[in-house]
Amino acid sequence: MPELPEVETVRRQLQPLIAGRRITRFTVMPGAERLLRGRSTSEINAQLIGCAFTTVGRRGKYLALHLDNDQVVVVHLRMTGSLRFRTSDHEEESFTRAVFDLDGGDQLRFVDVRKFGTIDFVDQLSEALPELGPEPLSDHFTPEALWYALRGRQQPLKAALLDQRNIAGIGNIYADEALFLARLNPEAPAGSLRPPERRLLHATIRQVLEDGVRHGGASFRDYTDVDGSEGEQQYFVRVFRRTDEPCDECGTTIRRIVVGGRATHFCPKCQPVRQRTRMVKSTRPKQ
DNA sequence: CGTTACCTGAAA
DNA sequence: TTTCAGGTAACG
């Protein structure tokens, strides 16, 4: 569920809440042992107890909770995960899967209906991360960097944006929104973009992600922030889950199709299938 | 490359 | 009852 803006919202909230707080215990609820990936609770507790959280970082959709012994707790929320910061006497949320008890009596809770989320305990952040493309809100993400990720690819644009190896952090909501604002058809081959289209898509990717962060993320279903509140970005989307509603720009009925196995929403008039979809380069240069 | 699996609940 | 879901990894 959570994409870059949702994860960034959690990061910003969590940092001041847990910085300096020591872990007194880590517990995994029955049925959620998968989270530990084969390690035992006692093994993890041996490493964690007495350590304090320092800073909270983010890479793509991954959260990195750094500890003062240089270990890192790496969290991925996948579809339905959320982190809650609560006092220990606060009623336990349904589907709580794991709990960090902190000194002073607060808790950091990992809540996840579908149990897809992951928590890794590593010495180096990189150990827990797969290959990831550039951070779209960083200075490294330029129109040239976008083109480097897309050039030579025959893959539909939508699928290319969702591939975390190309760009880190874009998910289903923001891919649809960025393509709508750039007036690009989600099925157009990624490698067919002309220079002006590349510049525009680069700008709209940044715009939708920044808007998402500014509105505290999008809560269509399960996403909530650290105290359980919803984001506001769902009120500002132009196409995502607006199937059969009129397009804001032209009134045409928004369509839903499946691209790369994911529901995809677009305006057929604003985002037409281009006639010239010839690839800019016929093959992807060997690295 | 597209499809399936991982889980579980909400909505159609 | 069936379909769908802010994600990814594994499959063919």
Side-chain angles (χ1 to χ4, degrees), chain A residues 1-237:
Chain A
M1 97 192 167
E3 309 179 28
L4 188 152
E6 291 73 35
V7 178
E8 176 62 17
T9 299
V10 171
R11 188 198 70 75
R12 291 180 182 187
Q13 294 182 339
L14 210 50
Q15 159 95 43
L17 291 172
I18 66 171
R21 303 295 296 274
R22 291 192 184 284
I23 299 169
T24 58
R25 185 173 52 168
F26 174 70
T27 317
V28 172
M29 309 331 234
E33 296 82 3
R34 226 169 63 105
L35 263 183
L36 301 183
R37 305 196 195 217
R39 287 152 312 176
S40 68
T41 313
S42 54
E43 183 188 341
I44 290 167
N45 270 289
Q47 291 181 285
L48 290 186
I49 290 177
C51 293
F53 287 112
T54 55
T55 58
V56 180
R58 180 188 58 73
R59 177 78 173 94
K61 300 172 192 170
Y62 291 81
L63 278 171
L65 316 187
H66 293 273
L67 297 172
D68 61 359
N69 69 347
D70 287 338
Q71 293 206 101
V72 194
V73 179
V74 184
V75 177
H76 196 300
L77 302 172
R78 292 289 180 101
M79 292 288 266
T80 56
S82 65
L83 288 171
R84 305 292 176 85
F85 184 85
R86 299 293 199 195
T87 56
S88 50
D89 60 0
H90 188 285
E91 185 185 9
E92 183 176 282
E93 287 82 356
S94 304
F95 314 110
T96 298
R97 306 303 185 189
V99 177
F100 294 87
D101 281 287
L102 307 177
D103 60 356
D106 293 321
Q107 296 182 328
L108 180 61
R109 302 172 178 174
F110 182 72
V111 179
D112 185 10
V113 172
R114 293 175 73 181
K115 301 199 242 188
F116 291 166
T118 59
I119 305 179
D120 279 290
F121 304 89
V122 293
D123 294 317
Q124 287 286 143
L125 174 58
S126 59
E127 293 172 42
L129 300 182
E131 180 193 342
L132 293 173
E135 279 297 320
L137 297 184
S138 78
D139 292 342
H140 298 291
F141 186 63
T142 58
E144 292 71 32
L146 172 67
W147 182 235
Y148 183 81
L150 301 183
R151 64 185 293 199
R153 297 195 186 280
Q154 199 35 73
Q155 187 180 37
L157 263 178
K158 168 74 182 274
L161 294 185
L162 291 179
D163 189 333
Q164 303 297 296
R165 294 169 301 186
N166 294 151
I167 305 162
I170 300 176
N172 215 26
I173 299 173
Y174 299 94
D176 282 2
E177 294 299 307
L179 290 172
F180 172 78
L181 293 182
R183 305 180 71 89
L184 291 168
N185 189 279
E187 296 188 285
S192 69
L193 296 192
R194 326 308 325 190
E197 295 171 320
R198 301 170 203 167
R199 289 193 292 273
L200 180 57
L201 180 58
H202 168 266
T204 64
I205 287 170
R206 289 180 87 120
Q207 183 187 332
V208 297
L209 295 175
E210 284 167 2
D211 283 355
V213 173
R214 198 171 60 250
H215 292 128
S219 297
F220 280 94
R221 188 177 237 138
D222 301 291
Y223 170 73
T224 62
D225 65 13
V226 168
D227 74 6
S229 317
E230 298 191 338
E232 308 287 333
Q233 179 66 12
Q234 65 275 21
Y235 303 124
F236 299 91
V237 294

Side-chain angles (χ1 to χ4, degrees), chain A residues 220-278:
Chain A
F220 280 94
R221 188 177 237 138
D222 301 291
Y223 170 73
T224 62
D225 65 13
V226 168
D227 74 6
S229 317
E230 298 191 338
E232 308 287 333
Q233 179 66 12
Q234 65 275 21
Y235 303 124
F236 299 91
V237 294
R238 313 291 298 274
V239 289
F240 186 78
R241 290 205 196 167
R242 294 190 55 191
T243 312
D244 295 337
E245 291 181 36
C247 169
D248 294 339
E249 295 295 324
C250 72
T252 301
T253 303
I254 293 168
R255 287 230 295 144
R256 178 192 184 279
I257 59 176
V258 174
V259 182
R262 309 296 304 280
T264 297
H265 314 77
F266 74 109
C267 171
K269 185 166 177 197
C270 294
Q271 301 166 267
V273 177
R274 255 179 314 149
Q275 291 314 299
R276 301 188 60 81
T277 55
R278 198 182 76 253

